[in-house]
Amino acid sequence: MRNLLIILYILISTISVAQNHKSLLRDGNKLYADSSYNASEMQYRKSLEKDQDYFNASFNLADAIYKQERYAEASTLFNSIKDNCPNEDDLAKVYHNLGNSLFKEQKLKEAIDAYKNSLRIKPNDNETRHNLALCKQQQQQQQQQQQQQEEEEEEEEEEEEQEQEQEQEQEEEEEREQEENQEERKEERKEKEQKEEVSKETAEKMLEAIQQQEKELQEKLQKKKVKGKKIKILKDW
């Protein structure tokens, strides 16, 4: 009799706990339907405190977090319950919602993989097909934008290289002009110095010539004086 009472107590407790976490789930679902996503999240968490393996509460919790635009957290939760799905239909839903949250994160490759996994289970799910096509289209647009951006960056790099080359050529041209100007100035100084030397030498020669002329003139004058002087004759008395 005692054993029977214990068994009945356990059954009643189990039913009570089951009703409790299911009741919390229902309350969360009502709040979710009213778009009270934060409040529904609290109810789902309370339900999971009663039964941490309760799949419906975990799934709805991830969905409520997704509705609050906490997409990275939602992706983590959907990803964590894949192995606890009670059936293939629920697994397809998990992959579908995982694809949605990854799509919102702009992780398009991962989202495409999630949608494909969902379609492998439910090939005729039109909503998943639509989201997959939309995701692929956006991925293609991103690739085109990325390619265009890369091309623009390459063009900018080429323009910068051309500008650098032009600047370098201009600097080299300026350096050549400076060197040529320096050479010209050197030549001018050299020519000037040579002219000055020639002028000095010419002046010296002219001075020497004048001095020579004066010397010759003096010599001529002296000769004339000697020639014109009377000579005294001694008388022999």
Side-chain angles (χ1 to χ4, degrees):
M1 183 69 179
R2 183 178 179 181
N3 291 336
L4 181 60
L5 290 173
I6 292 172
I7 293 170
L8 288 172
Y9 175 76
I10 293 171
L11 288 173
I12 292 169
S13 298
T14 302
I15 293 170
S16 176
V17 170
Q19 288 176 340
N20 196 0
H21 73 253
K22 287 183 179 180
S23 175
L24 290 168
L25 177 68
R26 286 193 295 271
D27 293 341
N29 291 343
K30 289 178 183 178
L31 292 167
Y32 184 95
D34 292 335
S35 300
S36 300
Y37 302 121
N38 183 262
S40 67
E41 176 188 346
M42 297 300 103
Q43 294 303 109
Y44 295 141
R45 291 190 183 279
K46 289 178 181 178
S47 177
L48 287 170
E49 288 175 2
K50 300 294 181 181
D51 183 2
Q52 63 181 2
D53 294 325
Y54 192 20
F55 173 80
N56 289 343
S58 297
F59 181 89
N60 290 2
L61 171 63
D63 207 20
I65 289 172
Y66 171 87
K67 289 293 187 180
Q68 296 175 70
E69 299 183 359
R70 289 148 54 192
Y71 302 121
E73 187 178 351
S75 295
T76 301
L77 286 172
F78 282 125
N79 201 46
S80 68
I81 62 176
K82 289 185 300 185
D83 296 331
N84 298 327
C85 295
N87 53 60
E88 289 290 298
D89 186 62
D90 286 333
L91 181 59
K93 291 178 182 177
V94 169
Y95 274 122
H96 175 90
N97 285 11
L98 176 60
N100 290 344
S101 57
L102 289 169
F103 181 64
K104 290 292 186 179
E105 287 187 83
Q106 289 299 293
K107 295 181 177 179
L108 302 182
K109 182 179 181 301
E110 293 87 339
I112 289 171
D113 291 338
Y115 289 136
K116 285 181 177 180
N117 286 331
S118 179
L119 287 171
R120 288 189 184 98
I121 300 169
K122 293 179 66 176
N124 298 322
D125 190 325
N126 292 329
E127 185 177 355
T128 304
R129 285 184 176 278
H130 172 78
N131 290 2
L132 174 61
L134 188 64
C135 191
K136 284 183 175 181
Q137 182 181 1
Q138 187 161 342
Q139 185 188 44
Q140 185 177 5
Q141 290 175 352
Q142 279 190 358
Q143 289 173 346
Q144 290 174 348
Q145 289 174 355
Q146 185 176 359
Q147 184 178 359
Q148 183 178 355
Q149 184 177 355
E150 289 175 354
E151 290 175 354
E152 289 175 355
E153 288 176 355
E154 287 179 359
E155 288 179 359
E156 288 178 359
E157 288 178 358
E158 289 178 357
E159 289 177 357
E160 288 179 359
E161 288 178 356
Q162 289 177 355
E163 288 177 359
Q164 289 176 356
E165 288 177 358
Q166 290 175 354
E167 289 176 358
Q168 187 175 357
E169 288 177 357
Q170 186 175 355
E171 289 176 358
E172 291 176 353
E173 181 65 24
E174 289 175 355
E175 288 178 358
R176 283 195 297 271
E177 289 179 357
Q178 288 178 358
E179 290 176 356
E180 290 175 357
N181 292 334
Q182 288 176 356
E183 289 295 326
E184 288 178 0
R185 286 195 292 269
K186 284 181 181 179
E187 290 294 327
E188 289 175 357
R189 284 197 300 269
K190 188 176 179 180
E191 289 177 1
K192 186 178 179 181
E193 289 173 356
Q194 288 176 348
K195 287 179 180 179
E196 289 176 352
E197 288 178 0
V198 170
S199 299
K200 185 178 179 181
E201 185 179 353
T202 302
E204 289 176 352
K205 286 181 178 180
M206 288 175 65
L207 182 60
E208 288 177 358
I210 292 169
Q211 289 175 347
Q212 183 65 29
Q213 288 176 359
E214 286 184 4
K215 184 179 179 182
E216 290 176 355
L217 180 61
Q218 291 296 330
E219 288 177 353
K220 285 180 180 180
L221 290 173
Q222 288 295 331
K223 286 179 181 180
K224 284 182 180 181
K225 285 179 180 180
V226 171
K227 186 177 179 181
K229 188 176 180 182
K230 293 180 178 181
I231 301 173
K232 291 183 177 181
I233 300 171
L234 295 175
K235 293 182 179 182
D236 188 9
W237 296 98

